[in-house]
Amino acid sequence: MKHNKLSIKWKFFAYLMLFTFIILVMLWLSQVVFLETIYKSIKINEIKVSANNIAKHIDDENIKGYAEAVGDQNELCVLALKMETSNRAIELFTVDTLKNCLLHTTDRRSKFILYDLAMANGGEYLKYYSYDQMRHGFIESDGQQSGEFESIIYTLVFQNNAEEEIFLMVNSVISPVAATVKTLYYQLIVISIAVIILAVVLTIFFSNRISKPIRKINDSAKILATGSYNVNFNGSGYKEVSELAETLNYAADELSKTDQMKTDLIANISHDLRTPLTMIVGYSEMMRDIPGENIPENIQTIIDEAIRLTSLVNDVLDISNLQSGVGDFIPKPVNITETIKKALLRYNKLTEQDGYTIDFEYEYDVTVNTDETRIMQALYNLINNAVTYTGADKRVTVSQTVKNGYVRISVADTGEGIEEDKLSLIWERYYKVDKVHKRASIGSGLGLSIVKSIMDMAEGRCGVESTVGRGSTFWIELPLRK
Ligand code: ADP
């Protein structure tokens, strides 16, 4: 098989490296590339919020104290004027915490220009200034400069409670971040290299740890594939792997059981086939060669052995049909009591000639929705077993009872019973309690597994109660028609 896919180890490695790369890119973008833009927009937002907060408290008694606190906190300079006319104003209060404050150096005329600009702009205006090295002072700018000192004045025109017009100016300085960016730049180079090395080491370590248990399981699975069922899957590491190991151990166990049963079956079947065939050939030759041996008893032996062979072959065919799903299950309303009676007719010869007693106990006729042929097949298997294994009294009791929405058909014998630890095993394919071949119990070991498969199809149930030395009662249950 060709594998074009990446192994889990390399996949994990690739994902972790991608993650590291994204984190580093984000770090570089925010700390170096866009630091100035981010810092500037934070500053502008800060000045706007401060101005609006002061405006909100303009009618407070201690507005100057409030404005001073805001100014101190954000390094702002504040000037509030009350407009008398459009070119006359009275100073209300001023806060002067900024070193290079522009408000206290700009002339009256420029302030009124700012007022006009704010009025034309809906009551607020933001103006940028940049530091000019030649003139040693701030000059007006468009706010696009970078790498030098900038100053911004934010103006706000509004009315107080007494409907007087207030003209508020707030000034703040934006220091250049170039020096900071440079420091961060070198720091980030060191950090990035360290993070990349760490990520590589960690991913190699972890990807190995993650893939190792899977590789180990794969190695064991390869051994299993060659037919060595005693391989052990070791699921150390993490939950999924130990669950997988458990499942595979279970599968290996089941495979080895089936394998063992098949080996047993072949041994048994070939023995079972050979014995009747030997008898048939032996009796036929005897009847051909020895005069006077052509008697009905000998012919009957040949017929009996041929019947044994047929039923053996039928069992094998039945189970393989049931398992491959070839045999359909066609439910129809069936009088199950009549079905049982029909099945028992088959045993007339046994009861009349061989001294067997087969009783049928029931209270009333019951109808269920099921496939009569299949149920008949299940019944034959149970009754055949009961006849085979029943005790010296040769008694078998079939009974039909109704309980909890189910009709139960039980087949009880008076034989040796089955040991408790074997009770769950007898339903498995090819399982025979008595492995030592006995003529009395020739069977394929398939009968009960056929019953179980049929009951699964019929949505019914089956089971057994048995007491060693007293006998066994096998039962099947079918759901009653609703
Ligand atoms: P088999 O064809 O060998 O009877 P089954 O699947 O019908 O195969 O039964 C499996 C095993 O269960 C039998 O080999 C037998 O040992 C045991 N068994 C089945 N029915 C009875 C019974 N009525 N009494 C005692 N043992 C039984």
Side-chain angles (χ1 to χ4, degrees):
M1 234 191 295
K2 256 190 90 173
H3 299 286
N4 296 324
K5 292 207 167 127
L6 276 184
S7 75
I8 185 171
K9 178 173 146 183
W10 289 111
K11 262 214 160 132
F12 182 76
F13 182 76
Y15 284 134
L16 219 74
M17 287 315 289
L18 182 72
F19 176 73
T20 315
F21 177 73
I22 292 173
I23 297 271
L24 284 178
V25 167
M26 276 162 60
L27 216 65
W28 276 88
L29 286 181
S30 65
Q31 296 300 295
V32 175
V33 184
F34 293 121
L35 187 71
E36 188 169 359
T37 323
I38 295 169
Y39 171 67
K40 216 162 161 175
S41 70
I42 289 173
K43 269 297 210 191
I44 289 169
N45 188 50
E46 210 173 76
I47 194 172
K48 283 185 177 174
V49 169
S50 304
N52 279 296
N53 280 342
I54 294 173
K56 247 189 254 162
H57 292 85
I58 198 72
D59 290 307
D60 289 7
E61 221 172 278
N62 187 25
I63 176 63
K64 188 167 159 57
Y66 179 76
E68 269 168 359
V70 174
D72 272 347
Q73 200 180 357
N74 301 315
E75 286 184 58
L76 302 172
C77 219
V78 185
L79 176 62
L81 302 173
K82 187 168 89 187
M83 300 302 289
E84 297 280 285
T85 64
S86 66
N87 54 10
R88 224 162 68 85
I90 303 170
E91 184 177 311
L92 286 180
F93 61 85
T94 160
V95 175
D96 192 3
T97 38
L98 205 61
K99 220 170 90 198
N100 296 309
C101 172
L102 281 185
L103 295 181
H104 299 89
T105 50
T106 22
D107 53 28
R108 218 178 83 92
R109 207 179 64 87
S110 309
K111 283 176 192 151
F112 280 111
I113 291 175
L114 281 176
Y115 171 78
D116 290 341
L117 284 168
M119 287 306 280
N121 192 39
E124 59 163 359
Y125 192 75
L126 190 69
K127 182 129 193 75
Y128 295 91
Y129 301 85
S130 59
Y131 191 75
D132 190 282
Q133 301 280 2
M134 313 283 276
R135 289 197 220 165
H136 296 288
F138 283 102
I139 53 162
E140 291 185 14
S141 79
D142 55 2
Q144 301 305 314
Q145 274 80 0
S146 72
E148 45 193 294
F149 271 104
E150 273 188 292
S151 190
I152 38 177
I153 296 182
Y154 180 64
T155 49
L156 204 57
V157 181
F158 60 95
Q159 287 195 334
N160 64 5
N161 278 352
E163 297 196 349
E164 296 158 329
E165 201 169 46
I166 309 295
F167 177 34
L168 185 69
M169 281 178 279
V170 184
N171 178 217
S172 174
V173 169
I174 301 176
S175 348
V177 289
T180 321
V181 169
K182 206 165 185 175
T183 320
L184 283 173
Y185 176 82
Y186 288 115
Q187 264 182 11
L188 270 183
I189 287 182
V190 176
I191 290 177
S192 301
I193 293 172
V195 164
I196 289 172
I197 293 174
L198 199 70
V200 170
V201 172
L202 281 182
T203 42
I204 289 175
F205 176 71
F206 282 116
S207 55
N208 258 327
R209 270 193 80 134
I210 287 181
S211 64
K212 201 172 158 200
I214 299 179
R215 272 185 283 135
K216 258 167 67 186
I217 287 201
N218 191 26
D219 290 344
S220 307
K222 280 182 190 153
I223 299 174
L224 178 69
T226 63
S228 325
Y229 301 119
N230 56 358
V231 59
N232 185 36
F233 290 92
N234 188 355
S236 59
Y238 39 101
K239 197 170 143 225
E240 286 80 359
V241 168
S242 75
E243 276 172 6
L244 177 66
E246 241 169 66
T247 314
L248 286 170
N249 275 329
Y250 178 70
D253 209 36
E254 288 299 300
L255 278 174
S256 94
K257 265 197 234 160
T258 315
D259 196 55
Q260 184 56 41
M261 281 176 181
K262 280 215 171 114
T263 315
D264 290 353
L265 174 85
I266 291 170
N268 286 345
I269 286 195
S270 35
H271 195 288
D272 293 343
L273 286 175
R274 205 180 306 137
T275 317
L277 282 174
T278 314
M279 303 235 331
I280 290 171
V281 173
Y283 272 74
S284 310
E285 281 176 351
M286 182 173 76
M287 283 160 60
R288 182 195 63 198
D289 299 339
I290 307 173
E293 280 299 327
N294 205 341
I295 51 170
E297 285 81 4
N298 289 345
I299 295 176
Q300 189 57 47
T301 310
I302 294 175
I303 294 172
D304 287 348
E305 295 303 321
I307 290 173
R308 270 190 213 280
L309 273 180
T310 313
S311 83
L312 188 66
V313 172
N314 279 343
D315 270 3
V316 176
L317 285 179
D318 277 347
I319 195 78
S320 62
N321 275 353
L322 282 170
Q323 262 153 28
S324 61
V326 171
D328 287 333
F329 190 90
I330 306 158
K332 268 194 250 152
V334 175
N335 181 329
I336 200 77
T337 321
E338 283 304 316
T339 309
I340 300 170
K341 285 182 192 163
K342 252 192 269 173
L344 290 178
L345 286 181
R346 210 202 214 194
Y347 298 90
N348 274 351
K349 192 182 145 278
L350 274 181
T351 50
E352 283 160 16
Q353 296 178 6
D354 298 340
Y356 282 88
T357 316
I358 304 182
D359 292 325
F360 178 36
E361 296 169 353
Y362 70 102
E363 277 181 17
Y364 48 85
D365 281 28
V366 174
T367 306
V368 291
N369 206 26
T370 194
D371 184 323
E372 186 174 26
T373 322
R374 293 284 181 209
I375 297 303
M376 199 85 116
Q377 199 181 353
L379 283 175
Y380 283 142
N381 279 307
L382 293 186
I383 301 171
N384 284 348
N385 279 350
V387 167
T388 308
Y389 297 106
T390 198
D393 63 355
K394 295 189 170 181
R395 182 175 282 277
V396 171
T397 312
V398 179
S399 53
Q400 173 203 289
T401 47
V402 174
K403 209 176 158 189
N404 299 335
Y406 280 86
V407 56
R408 173 185 282 218
I409 304 152
S410 312
V411 181
D413 64 62
T414 58
E416 287 176 19
I418 304 159
E419 284 160 42
E420 189 148 0
D421 57 334
K422 307 270 161 54
L423 282 181
S424 58
L425 299 173
I426 53 174
W427 302 92
E428 285 178 19
R429 268 176 293 160
Y430 313 128
Y431 183 85
K432 289 163 102 179
V433 173
D434 189 2
K435 297 237 168 122
V436 185
H437 189 72
K438 259 202 308 191
R439 209 50 194 136
S441 58
I442 46 160
S444 53
L446 290 173
L448 290 176
S449 69
I450 291 174
V451 173
K452 194 162 176 278
S453 303
I454 292 174
M455 292 325 286
D456 286 345
M457 284 173 135
E459 289 168 4
R461 307 188 281 222
C462 54
V464 58
E465 278 110 43
S466 187
T467 316
V468 175
R470 288 262 198 86
S472 319
T473 304
F474 282 82
W475 54 263
I476 55 173
E477 279 184 348
L478 290 166
L480 289 173
R481 284 216 299 160
K482 300 222 172 69

